[in-house]
Amino acid sequence: MSAGPFDLGPSASLPEGGRLCGRAGDVEVVVLRLEGKLYAVDGLCPHRGGLMGQGDRDGFRLSCPLHAWCFDVRDGTAFFPRGQRLGVHEVFERDGRVLVGPRVAP
Ligand code: FES
């Protein structure tokens, strides 16, 4: 697999508080713009593969729609259950496009 970065779409399609779902190589990702900054996390929950892009969000907290595991999108740490992690990816904008790079954590 190429290391990317992978183009998820135009910056204009990701307003403040919005999210973009797509693929970065062979992994599903979700990109969110919160307080003016971009965050990219794995699109599949580490529990049983729930679609994180369909989960509820409260601030930086993103919940899985299946069994409510929830994670801090800033660093992937879990609020519940403690000790779990969601993968975090490099993400940036260039020439009006949202680009996602490799997983940086965990
Ligand atoms: S699949 Fe996400 S909490 Fe179970």
Side-chain angles (χ1 to χ4, degrees):
M1 153 193 158
S2 162
F6 299 95
D7 189 334
L8 256 69
S11 295
S13 64
L14 189 58
E16 173 63 31
R19 63 181 76 171
L20 263 181
C21 301
R23 291 185 70 83
D26 59 358
V27 295
E28 302 284 340
V29 293
V30 182
V31 180
L32 306 101
R33 189 189 303 278
L34 303 173
E35 298 185 6
K37 192 163 180 238
L38 295 185
Y39 300 92
V41 294
D42 282 350
L44 300 181
C45 176
H47 181 216
R48 293 191 191 165
L51 298 177
M52 296 304 298
Q54 297 179 4
D56 289 340
R57 183 184 63 78
D58 179 10
F60 293 102
R61 186 178 180 123
L62 183 64
S63 298
C64 176
L66 292 188
H67 316 102
W69 284 20
C70 56
F71 304 89
D72 189 326
V73 299
R74 294 171 292 189
D75 62 6
T77 58
F79 292 102
F80 170 82
R82 292 281 179 192
Q84 297 294 328
R85 297 291 299 261
L86 184 65
V88 172
H89 297 255
E90 178 186 13
V91 60
F92 58 96
E93 290 173 287
R94 186 167 61 207
D95 300 328
R97 309 292 299 183
V98 176
L99 301 168
V100 174
R103 187 182 287 136
V104 291

